[in-house]
Amino acid sequence: MATQIPARGTCLHRMTTGEKRLSERLEQKLEDDYLLWYDVPIGPKHTHPDFVVLHPHRGALILETKDWHPHTIRYASRDSFEILDTSTGQPKTVNNPLTQARHCAIQVINALGQDPQLQHIDGPHKGKPIFPWGYGVVLTRITRAQFDAAGLDGAIPSRLAICQDEMFENVEPEAFQERLWNMFPHQFGRHSAITLPQLDRIRWILFPEVRVPEQHNLFADDNAQAAAENAAEERLPDIMRVMDLQQEQLARSLGDGHRVIHGVAGSGKTMILGYRAEHLAQTQGPGSKPILVLCYNEPLAVKLAAHIEHKGLSERVHVRHFHKWVYAQLKAYHQLPAYAANWEVGAKMDEYVRCLIESVDKGHIPAGQYHAILIDEGHDFAPEWLKLITQMICPNTNSLLLLYDDAQSIYRRSGKMGFSLKSVGIQAMGRTTILKINYRNTRQILQLANQVAGSMLQAEDAKDEDGIPLLAPMGCGREGPEPIVINLPTLPERAAKIAELLAEQHAQGHAWGEMAVLCRDWDGMDICSRALARKGMPHKVRKGSGDFKPQDNTIKVMTMHASKGLEWPVVAVLTSEPKEKMNQEDLEMESKLAYVAATRSINLLMSI
């Protein structure tokens, strides 16, 4: 069965009857290595073909679908058709659907033609795409006999059309496929199959929204950045990182209602959240309520907010740290408890949350304020917080996305153990997805992270679909250098070694902003800061709100807790001995914390 993106079941509501039938036939009568995209914008001009079919051996095919009846067509030529408008019954002139399909196909080929790695480098087809391509029309309500009787082959060559009776359910797969591949106007004879790296390049060029941002772009100086932007149309990157097919299918298939994604560290949860927020913002009608993105981790909220601002969506998508959002709600509706102003921070935040829950329950603060709410790192949220958040979604849209990984749950929350999603108002039965593959870390990093986690990563299935599973990550097979593990007797010696190793990484080409030092506590951060300062290495210690600026070209020094949801090419973890004997629960929490810290690294991990 072919892979269809978005998943067929999630886009039936916007398909015509004929598109539904063709979608079903393509999915059922093509093999597993076929890829299908339905109504997805492609290329720099964002054209919308009905279907794009891609096969590693066959090539690419663009299909335009029409549900016209024989009596609908009054006149047909190579350029245009005169048809009866179904709504008015009056004749109107439209473009020949084959012209539409050809236009989309040329847009695809022109875009791919900018990449030398997708062209023949010599021979009679030098400079042409490395794979065949074609286009055609599917007439879902006109039989072949009716097509011939009406002389439609004068407007659409017979081999470039599939008719109603050629896509019946009882048609043999081989016959159906033959009709498809007869559509190719360009055949190159024998050709090599499209490789996986080439497939990534095709998807990177055709579907910009599935691109994974490159970390180093954040740290280019102004002149270099301007030059890179000016040359963007002329020079393509050597390595093109994109969502994998499961991630793309999931991102494009997220529909209305409550959705939950359980995903291991590095599985692309935050990337999918960003895609979803952008999609919702771009498809909102005028005057819609804002979209809210909530995080527990303040640095992660800062990073996501920067991404949304870069996309120009800040007015429609509000990214907030949970407790800052709570405070803003209380202040905006004059419900802020003055008596708690001088309380210790933890107690004050707890009281603010309690007051917001109470104010919403009493109607002093309105529910249903947001078009949609997206929650990153949902495992950090207490059950009562989730229950509050579900009330803030507009009931007309009821759009919620919750991202969760119980292995990264590093905060103790009262009442958190054993709760169900249904108990806090999350209705996601049948709309839950599990992502088990870690794409961020190399095999070597993930192996060390798993050793650190120990038995904590023993996978446990949820008792039912409404429960919360514990997922063990699977590596994607990406190779990298072995982690650097050095045991030194004192913290100052460890910090000095970290500074020395990071200086070496900078000398080898890593920008300062591509590195981070993660510590267990503030004492460790201070010791590391002094070690970095002695070597004159630019760095920023994150101790409070506003200290984290992801775009700055500085080494980020922060606690392991604050690093959750973030990533860097090079990560140094300052290890420290436990100050006292810990019980089993404390040991488990420390294992989770160490696992979180280790999985922040993309390429090189240092544990000192």
Side-chain angles (χ1 to χ4, degrees), residues 15 32-33 62 75 108 182 196 248 286 365 369 387 501 545:
M15 287 181 170
D32 293 349
D33 49 355
I62 306 296
Y75 169 79
V108 168
N182 282 343
L196 289 177
E248 181 186 354
I365 294 179
Q369 295 182 31
K387 186 175 182 179
L501 292 172
S545 178

Side-chain angles (χ1 to χ4, degrees), residues 352-397:
Y352 284 174
V353 174
R354 190 198 66 79
C355 288
L356 179 56
I357 293 172
E358 184 179 83
S359 297
V360 172
D361 288 343
K362 292 182 177 180
H364 298 157
I365 294 179
Q369 295 182 31
Y370 297 97
H371 177 85
I373 296 181
L374 297 79
I375 305 172
D376 203 351
E377 307 287 350
H379 42 265
D380 290 338
F381 285 65
E384 59 270 21
W385 302 0
L386 295 173
K387 186 175 182 179
L388 164 68
I389 293 166
T390 58
Q391 298 176 66
M392 306 305 287
I393 305 167
C394 176
N396 293 333
T397 58

